[in-house]
mmCIF file of all heavy atoms in Angstrom:
data_model
loop_
_atom_site.group_PDB
_atom_site.id
_atom_site.type_symbol
_atom_site.label_atom_id
_atom_site.label_comp_id
_atom_site.label_asym_id
_atom_site.label_seq_id
_atom_site.Cartn_x
_atom_site.Cartn_y
_atom_site.Cartn_z
ATOM 1 N N LEU A 251 -21.539 10.968 -9.914
ATOM 2 C CA LEU A 251 -22.055 12.197 -9.318
ATOM 3 C C LEU A 251 -21.053 13.341 -9.417
ATOM 4 O O LEU A 251 -21.431 14.508 -9.539
ATOM 5 C CB LEU A 251 -22.402 11.951 -7.838
ATOM 6 C CG LEU A 251 -23.596 11.030 -7.569
ATOM 7 C CD1 LEU A 251 -23.702 10.754 -6.077
ATOM 8 C CD2 LEU A 251 -24.888 11.659 -8.094
ATOM 9 N N GLN A 252 -19.762 12.991 -9.382
ATOM 10 C CA GLN A 252 -18.723 14.014 -9.356
ATOM 11 C C GLN A 252 -18.393 14.563 -10.740
ATOM 12 O O GLN A 252 -18.091 15.732 -10.891
ATOM 13 C CB GLN A 252 -17.439 13.446 -8.729
ATOM 14 C CG GLN A 252 -17.518 13.248 -7.228
ATOM 15 C CD GLN A 252 -17.573 14.565 -6.479
ATOM 16 O OE1 GLN A 252 -16.891 15.527 -6.824
ATOM 17 N NE2 GLN A 252 -18.412 14.628 -5.459
ATOM 18 N N ARG A 253 -18.416 13.691 -11.752
ATOM 19 C CA ARG A 253 -17.982 14.150 -13.071
ATOM 20 C C ARG A 253 -18.647 13.341 -14.167
ATOM 21 O O ARG A 253 -19.868 13.192 -14.146
ATOM 22 C CB ARG A 253 -16.465 14.129 -13.177
ATOM 23 C CG ARG A 253 -15.821 12.798 -12.798
ATOM 24 C CD ARG A 253 -14.330 12.839 -12.950
ATOM 25 N NE ARG A 253 -13.786 11.497 -12.808
ATOM 26 C CZ ARG A 253 -12.500 11.235 -12.792
ATOM 27 N NH1 ARG A 253 -11.629 12.212 -12.891
ATOM 28 N NH2 ARG A 253 -12.067 10.003 -12.676
ATOM 29 N N ARG A 254 -17.892 12.791 -15.108
ATOM 30 C CA ARG A 254 -18.485 12.249 -16.326
ATOM 31 C C ARG A 254 -19.018 10.830 -16.162
ATOM 32 O O ARG A 254 -20.095 10.530 -16.638
ATOM 33 C CB ARG A 254 -17.458 12.281 -17.459
ATOM 34 C CG ARG A 254 -16.190 11.508 -17.151
ATOM 35 C CD ARG A 254 -15.130 11.738 -18.197
ATOM 36 N NE ARG A 254 -13.954 10.917 -17.919
ATOM 37 C CZ ARG A 254 -13.006 11.271 -17.090
ATOM 38 N NH1 ARG A 254 -13.093 12.417 -16.443
ATOM 39 N NH2 ARG A 254 -11.961 10.495 -16.880
ATOM 40 N N GLY A 255 -18.261 9.915 -15.548
ATOM 41 C CA GLY A 255 -18.696 8.527 -15.433
ATOM 42 C C GLY A 255 -19.132 7.977 -16.801
ATOM 43 O O GLY A 255 -19.252 8.712 -17.772
ATOM 44 N N PRO A 256 -19.479 6.710 -16.930
ATOM 45 C CA PRO A 256 -19.187 5.717 -15.898
ATOM 46 C C PRO A 256 -17.793 5.122 -16.065
ATOM 47 O O PRO A 256 -17.334 4.916 -17.181
ATOM 48 C CB PRO A 256 -20.247 4.649 -16.151
ATOM 49 C CG PRO A 256 -20.466 4.703 -17.637
ATOM 50 C CD PRO A 256 -20.248 6.142 -18.044
ATOM 51 N N GLN A 257 -17.117 4.889 -14.962
ATOM 52 C CA GLN A 257 -15.846 4.184 -14.972
ATOM 53 C C GLN A 257 -15.976 2.979 -14.055
ATOM 54 O O GLN A 257 -16.904 2.898 -13.262
ATOM 55 C CB GLN A 257 -14.704 5.099 -14.521
ATOM 56 C CG GLN A 257 -14.491 6.289 -15.450
ATOM 57 C CD GLN A 257 -13.235 7.031 -15.105
ATOM 58 O OE1 GLN A 257 -12.138 6.603 -15.432
ATOM 59 N NE2 GLN A 257 -13.393 8.139 -14.416
ATOM 60 N N ARG A 258 -15.033 2.056 -14.166
ATOM 61 C CA ARG A 258 -15.112 0.824 -13.397
ATOM 62 C C ARG A 258 -13.781 0.541 -12.705
ATOM 63 O O ARG A 258 -12.718 0.947 -13.181
ATOM 64 C CB ARG A 258 -15.475 -0.360 -14.302
ATOM 65 C CG ARG A 258 -16.858 -0.259 -14.927
ATOM 66 C CD ARG A 258 -17.969 -0.437 -13.907
ATOM 67 N NE ARG A 258 -19.296 -0.433 -14.517
ATOM 68 C CZ ARG A 258 -20.042 0.652 -14.660
ATOM 69 N NH1 ARG A 258 -19.578 1.827 -14.266
ATOM 70 N NH2 ARG A 258 -21.242 0.583 -15.212
ATOM 71 N N ILE A 259 -13.869 -0.172 -11.597
ATOM 72 C CA ILE A 259 -12.693 -0.661 -10.900
ATOM 73 C C ILE A 259 -12.556 -2.145 -11.198
ATOM 74 O O ILE A 259 -13.495 -2.910 -11.003
ATOM 75 C CB ILE A 259 -12.798 -0.420 -9.382
ATOM 76 C CG1 ILE A 259 -12.750 1.090 -9.091
ATOM 77 C CG2 ILE A 259 -11.674 -1.144 -8.633
ATOM 78 C CD1 ILE A 259 -12.999 1.450 -7.644
ATOM 79 N N ARG A 260 -11.401 -2.550 -11.651
ATOM 80 C CA ARG A 260 -11.160 -3.954 -12.000
ATOM 81 C C ARG A 260 -11.011 -4.781 -10.720
ATOM 82 O O ARG A 260 -10.224 -4.441 -9.833
ATOM 83 C CB ARG A 260 -9.899 -4.064 -12.847
ATOM 84 C CG ARG A 260 -9.425 -5.493 -13.091
ATOM 85 C CD ARG A 260 -8.212 -5.517 -14.003
ATOM 86 N NE ARG A 260 -7.605 -6.839 -14.049
ATOM 87 C CZ ARG A 260 -6.620 -7.163 -14.874
ATOM 88 N NH1 ARG A 260 -6.147 -6.270 -15.727
ATOM 89 N NH2 ARG A 260 -6.108 -8.383 -14.859
ATOM 90 N N ILE A 261 -11.786 -5.869 -10.635
ATOM 91 C CA ILE A 261 -11.680 -6.807 -9.524
ATOM 92 C C ILE A 261 -11.427 -8.192 -10.105
ATOM 93 O O ILE A 261 -12.238 -8.701 -10.883
ATOM 94 C CB ILE A 261 -12.952 -6.826 -8.657
ATOM 95 C CG1 ILE A 261 -13.205 -5.440 -8.055
ATOM 96 C CG2 ILE A 261 -12.831 -7.873 -7.541
ATOM 97 C CD1 ILE A 261 -14.507 -5.343 -7.285
ATOM 98 N N ASP A 262 -10.305 -8.805 -9.752
ATOM 99 C CA ASP A 262 -9.973 -10.161 -10.183
ATOM 100 C C ASP A 262 -10.152 -11.107 -8.999
ATOM 101 O O ASP A 262 -9.462 -10.961 -7.973
ATOM 102 C CB ASP A 262 -8.537 -10.243 -10.685
ATOM 103 C CG ASP A 262 -8.333 -9.488 -11.990
ATOM 104 O OD1 ASP A 262 -9.328 -9.235 -12.687
ATOM 105 O OD2 ASP A 262 -7.175 -9.144 -12.303
ATOM 106 N N VAL A 263 -11.076 -12.052 -9.117
ATOM 107 C CA VAL A 263 -11.290 -13.074 -8.085
ATOM 108 C C VAL A 263 -10.539 -14.322 -8.538
ATOM 109 O O VAL A 263 -10.863 -14.905 -9.585
ATOM 110 C CB VAL A 263 -12.785 -13.354 -7.885
ATOM 111 C CG1 VAL A 263 -12.980 -14.414 -6.796
ATOM 112 C CG2 VAL A 263 -13.515 -12.069 -7.507
ATOM 113 N N ILE A 264 -9.546 -14.718 -7.769
ATOM 114 C CA ILE A 264 -8.605 -15.749 -8.192
ATOM 115 C C ILE A 264 -9.054 -17.125 -7.697
ATOM 116 O O ILE A 264 -9.169 -17.349 -6.490
ATOM 117 C CB ILE A 264 -7.185 -15.444 -7.652
ATOM 118 C CG1 ILE A 264 -6.796 -13.984 -7.966
ATOM 119 C CG2 ILE A 264 -6.189 -16.418 -8.232
ATOM 120 C CD1 ILE A 264 -6.863 -13.591 -9.413
ATOM 121 N N PRO A 265 -9.318 -18.067 -8.614
ATOM 122 C CA PRO A 265 -9.791 -19.396 -8.214
ATOM 123 C C PRO A 265 -8.791 -20.131 -7.321
ATOM 124 O O PRO A 265 -7.565 -19.971 -7.473
ATOM 125 C CB PRO A 265 -9.960 -20.133 -9.551
ATOM 126 C CG PRO A 265 -10.039 -19.058 -10.585
ATOM 127 C CD PRO A 265 -9.196 -17.931 -10.074
ATOM 128 N N GLU A 266 -9.333 -20.911 -6.388
ATOM 129 C CA GLU A 266 -8.559 -21.836 -5.546
ATOM 130 C C GLU A 266 -7.526 -21.132 -4.661
ATOM 131 O O GLU A 266 -6.534 -21.742 -4.245
ATOM 132 C CB GLU A 266 -7.869 -22.901 -6.416
ATOM 133 C CG GLU A 266 -8.857 -23.740 -7.210
ATOM 134 C CD GLU A 266 -8.185 -24.820 -8.027
ATOM 135 O OE1 GLU A 266 -6.956 -24.972 -7.915
ATOM 136 O OE2 GLU A 266 -8.887 -25.495 -8.789
ATOM 137 N N VAL A 267 -7.740 -19.867 -4.371
ATOM 138 C CA VAL A 267 -6.842 -19.121 -3.490
ATOM 139 C C VAL A 267 -7.657 -18.524 -2.354
ATOM 140 O O VAL A 267 -8.760 -18.005 -2.569
ATOM 141 C CB VAL A 267 -6.106 -17.993 -4.254
ATOM 142 C CG1 VAL A 267 -5.264 -17.145 -3.290
ATOM 143 C CG2 VAL A 267 -5.222 -18.573 -5.352
ATOM 144 N N GLY A 268 -7.139 -18.632 -1.134
ATOM 145 C CA GLY A 268 -7.769 -18.014 0.020
ATOM 146 C C GLY A 268 -7.103 -16.697 0.360
ATOM 147 O O GLY A 268 -6.610 -15.983 -0.526
ATOM 148 N N HIS A 269 -7.058 -16.369 1.667
ATOM 149 C CA HIS A 269 -6.418 -15.119 2.098
ATOM 150 C C HIS A 269 -4.927 -15.376 2.269
ATOM 151 O O HIS A 269 -4.420 -15.564 3.377
ATOM 152 C CB HIS A 269 -7.048 -14.638 3.401
ATOM 153 C CG HIS A 269 -6.671 -13.238 3.752
ATOM 154 N ND1 HIS A 269 -7.031 -12.155 2.978
ATOM 155 C CD2 HIS A 269 -5.951 -12.733 4.779
ATOM 156 C CE1 HIS A 269 -6.559 -11.050 3.524
ATOM 157 N NE2 HIS A 269 -5.893 -11.380 4.609
ATOM 158 N N ASN A 270 -4.228 -15.380 1.148
ATOM 159 C CA ASN A 270 -2.842 -15.823 1.102
ATOM 160 C C ASN A 270 -2.024 -14.852 0.266
ATOM 161 O O ASN A 270 -2.188 -14.797 -0.957
ATOM 162 C CB ASN A 270 -2.786 -17.243 0.511
ATOM 163 C CG ASN A 270 -1.414 -17.857 0.555
ATOM 164 O OD1 ASN A 270 -0.427 -17.237 0.182
ATOM 165 N ND2 ASN A 270 -1.337 -19.104 1.009
ATOM 166 N N SER A 271 -1.167 -14.098 0.914
ATOM 167 C CA SER A 271 -0.407 -13.064 0.198
ATOM 168 C C SER A 271 0.522 -13.675 -0.840
ATOM 169 O O SER A 271 0.670 -13.155 -1.952
ATOM 170 C CB SER A 271 0.384 -12.200 1.180
ATOM 171 O OG SER A 271 1.330 -12.986 1.897
ATOM 172 N N ARG A 272 1.168 -14.783 -0.490
ATOM 173 C CA ARG A 272 2.097 -15.409 -1.432
ATOM 174 C C ARG A 272 1.364 -15.873 -2.696
ATOM 175 O O ARG A 272 1.833 -15.649 -3.814
ATOM 176 C CB ARG A 272 2.817 -16.587 -0.778
ATOM 177 C CG ARG A 272 3.784 -17.310 -1.710
ATOM 178 C CD ARG A 272 4.445 -18.488 -1.017
ATOM 179 N NE ARG A 272 5.332 -18.046 0.037
ATOM 180 C CZ ARG A 272 6.584 -17.654 -0.150
ATOM 181 N NH1 ARG A 272 7.096 -17.632 -1.382
ATOM 182 N NH2 ARG A 272 7.332 -17.268 0.865
ATOM 183 N N ALA A 273 0.211 -16.509 -2.520
ATOM 184 C CA ALA A 273 -0.527 -17.034 -3.669
ATOM 185 C C ALA A 273 -1.128 -15.922 -4.519
ATOM 186 O O ALA A 273 -1.299 -16.078 -5.737
ATOM 187 C CB ALA A 273 -1.626 -17.984 -3.194
ATOM 188 N N LEU A 274 -1.459 -14.785 -3.908
ATOM 189 C CA LEU A 274 -2.055 -13.678 -4.657
ATOM 190 C C LEU A 274 -1.012 -12.798 -5.347
ATOM 191 O O LEU A 274 -1.337 -12.077 -6.297
ATOM 192 C CB LEU A 274 -2.909 -12.815 -3.727
ATOM 193 C CG LEU A 274 -4.250 -13.410 -3.299
ATOM 194 C CD1 LEU A 274 -4.894 -12.543 -2.216
ATOM 195 C CD2 LEU A 274 -5.188 -13.557 -4.480
ATOM 196 N N THR A 275 0.239 -12.848 -4.867
ATOM 197 C CA THR A 275 1.269 -11.962 -5.422
ATOM 198 C C THR A 275 1.450 -12.109 -6.930
ATOM 199 O O THR A 275 1.521 -11.097 -7.642
ATOM 200 C CB THR A 275 2.607 -12.168 -4.689
ATOM 201 O OG1 THR A 275 2.455 -11.808 -3.315
ATOM 202 C CG2 THR A 275 3.704 -11.308 -5.303
ATOM 203 N N PRO A 276 1.518 -13.336 -7.498
ATOM 204 C CA PRO A 276 1.671 -13.434 -8.957
ATOM 205 C C PRO A 276 0.532 -12.764 -9.726
ATOM 206 O O PRO A 276 0.746 -12.230 -10.825
ATOM 207 C CB PRO A 276 1.691 -14.950 -9.208
ATOM 208 C CG PRO A 276 2.131 -15.545 -7.916
ATOM 209 C CD PRO A 276 1.552 -14.664 -6.854
ATOM 210 N N HIS A 277 -0.667 -12.761 -9.165
ATOM 211 C CA HIS A 277 -1.808 -12.132 -9.833
ATOM 212 C C HIS A 277 -1.730 -10.609 -9.724
ATOM 213 O O HIS A 277 -2.102 -9.895 -10.663
ATOM 214 C CB HIS A 277 -3.099 -12.683 -9.249
ATOM 215 C CG HIS A 277 -3.202 -14.173 -9.383
ATOM 216 N ND1 HIS A 277 -3.583 -14.786 -10.559
ATOM 217 C CD2 HIS A 277 -2.942 -15.164 -8.500
ATOM 218 C CE1 HIS A 277 -3.549 -16.099 -10.393
ATOM 219 N NE2 HIS A 277 -3.170 -16.350 -9.162
ATOM 220 N N ALA A 278 -1.237 -10.118 -8.593
ATOM 221 C CA ALA A 278 -0.980 -8.684 -8.480
ATOM 222 C C ALA A 278 0.083 -8.258 -9.484
ATOM 223 O O ALA A 278 -0.002 -7.179 -10.097
ATOM 224 C CB ALA A 278 -0.539 -8.347 -7.054
ATOM 225 N N MET A 279 1.082 -9.107 -9.686
ATOM 226 C CA MET A 279 2.130 -8.822 -10.672
ATOM 227 C C MET A 279 1.562 -8.754 -12.085
ATOM 228 O O MET A 279 1.972 -7.914 -12.889
ATOM 229 C CB MET A 279 3.219 -9.885 -10.594
ATOM 230 C CG MET A 279 4.072 -9.818 -9.340
ATOM 231 S SD MET A 279 5.260 -11.196 -9.284
ATOM 232 C CE MET A 279 6.140 -10.804 -7.763
ATOM 233 N N LYS A 280 0.615 -9.644 -12.403
ATOM 234 C CA LYS A 280 0.004 -9.617 -13.738
ATOM 235 C C LYS A 280 -0.713 -8.294 -13.981
ATOM 236 O O LYS A 280 -0.656 -7.739 -15.083
ATOM 237 C CB LYS A 280 -0.972 -10.778 -13.879
ATOM 238 C CG LYS A 280 -0.308 -12.141 -14.011
ATOM 239 C CD LYS A 280 -1.350 -13.244 -14.146
ATOM 240 C CE LYS A 280 -0.693 -14.612 -14.245
ATOM 241 N NZ LYS A 280 -1.688 -15.708 -14.343
ATOM 242 N N VAL A 281 -1.402 -7.800 -12.952
ATOM 243 C CA VAL A 281 -2.094 -6.518 -13.087
ATOM 244 C C VAL A 281 -1.085 -5.402 -13.334
ATOM 245 O O VAL A 281 -1.256 -4.581 -14.257
ATOM 246 C CB VAL A 281 -2.946 -6.219 -11.843
ATOM 247 C CG1 VAL A 281 -3.541 -4.817 -11.925
ATOM 248 C CG2 VAL A 281 -4.054 -7.256 -11.681
#
Side-chain angles (χ1 to χ4, degrees):
L251 291 173
Q252 287 291 320
R253 52 179 190 185
R254 58 189 184 276
Q257 297 189 78
R258 296 290 184 268
I259 293 174
R260 171 177 170 173
I261 299 175
D262 291 340
V263 180
I264 310 304
E266 300 182 4
V267 175
H269 193 64
N270 186 312
S271 62
R272 179 181 293 277
L274 286 171
T275 297
H277 302 280
M279 290 176 178
K280 287 180 181 179
V281 174

